[in-house]
Every structure is written in structure tokens, then in C-alpha cells.
Amino acid sequence: MELVTIGQFSKVCWLSIKALRLYDELGLLEPSFIDPRTGYRYYEPAQASRARAIALLRSLDMPLLDIKDLLAESDPDKLRSKLEAHHADLESRLRDHQYMLRRVEQLMKRGELVSYEITVKEIEPTHVVGAIVDTTPEGISTDAPAVYHQLYDSLT
């Protein structure tokens, strides 16, 4: 069996040694042999295609754990489905970044970050109804309706 050092494999695959060590640690691309005495990692040239697939998917901003799942998938329909999910995620992030770009363009046109004008006015005293709710962001949708009902009942 022909083996190459991690340094040689790194050059062939255009991946850093640090990346290869991480991929080994995550179980994405394990060396064919690790010398028990020195700890040196050795790879088979045939592993280069998997290494390049990982590099390709990373260049598409796919998370490493998703890459691991994708590479373990043998069903073409499930593989396609996982790629479609990543495509949808990229589209969502693109929309978010397009929104941020528009906001930056608005700021550039204004030439300033914040332009609030504060005016202090005195108003007549008025009645206010309120409630304090101890909840979490996840619980607000379930806790708020009861509070709304309490407020409504107090007004009628």
C-alpha cells in the first residue's frame, strides 16, 4: 500500500495540514495509517478525491458537520435533498446580506449613522394600563395571550 505523508497529501489536495488534522479529528477524513510511535499521519493517494470534495463543499460555505453527513449519504435522492437544503440556506443568507447592503447604501447617502432629532413636550396626565410578564423569548407567544385578556378585562 502506497502512503504519503500529511505534508505531501496537503500539497496534492491543496489543503492545509491544520485542516487535515481537523478533518481527522471530526471523522471527516481519517489518515490510512498513524504511526503509533511518532503520531505521524499517512494518507493513500485514493483519499485525495474525498479531500477535494470536502474542500469544494467548504468553499460553498457548508458547515463541516453537514459535509460529514453529506459524504456519508449513498442515496442520490437524499444527497440531492441535503444539497437543496444548503441551497435554501445560502439563498436566505443572500437575502439577509442584500438587505444589509441596502442599509449600508442608505447610510452612505445620508453621510451619517444616526440622525435623530429629539423634542421634549409636556403633555397632560393620562391613564395608562400595563402589565409585567416574566417570560422568555420562546415563551412569549404562549404567555402573552393571557396577559392581553387580563388587560382587556380590566378595561371593560
Side-chain angles (χ1 to χ4, degrees), residues 38-156:
T38 63
Y40 289 179
R41 294 171 167 88
Y42 296 90
Y43 294 83
E44 294 177 44
Q47 291 179 282
S49 60
R50 183 176 177 94
R52 290 307 307 147
I54 294 167
L56 169 66
L57 294 169
R58 281 301 298 141
S59 75
L60 301 174
D61 208 23
M62 184 175 281
L64 289 172
L65 295 178
D66 291 352
I67 292 173
K68 185 176 182 179
D69 290 344
L70 193 72
L71 293 176
E73 191 55 67
S74 59
D75 181 341
D77 291 333
K78 290 181 180 176
L79 178 75
R80 191 175 297 107
S81 176
K82 290 175 188 279
L83 289 170
E84 287 170 355
H86 184 64
H87 184 272
D89 180 54
L90 289 173
E91 282 184 329
S92 174
R93 288 192 275 160
L94 177 60
R95 283 190 299 275
D96 292 345
H97 282 88
Q98 286 170 332
Y99 170 78
M100 289 186 270
L101 280 171
R102 286 191 303 273
R103 294 287 292 144
V104 168
E105 288 167 0
Q106 291 169 351
L107 292 171
M108 288 171 14
K109 285 179 186 174
R110 283 199 336 225
E112 59 186 359
L113 294 178
V114 181
S115 60
Y116 290 111
E117 187 175 313
I118 298 173
T119 305
V120 177
K121 291 184 180 180
E122 288 199 28
I123 58 171
E124 294 294 319
T126 185
H127 295 284
V128 177
V129 176
I132 297 174
V133 180
D134 187 17
T135 188
T136 64
E138 297 81 24
I140 194 133
S141 60
T142 55
D143 296 338
V147 176
Y148 294 145
H149 289 297
Q150 286 177 332
L151 289 171
Y152 181 77
D153 289 345
S154 70
L155 294 172
T156 56

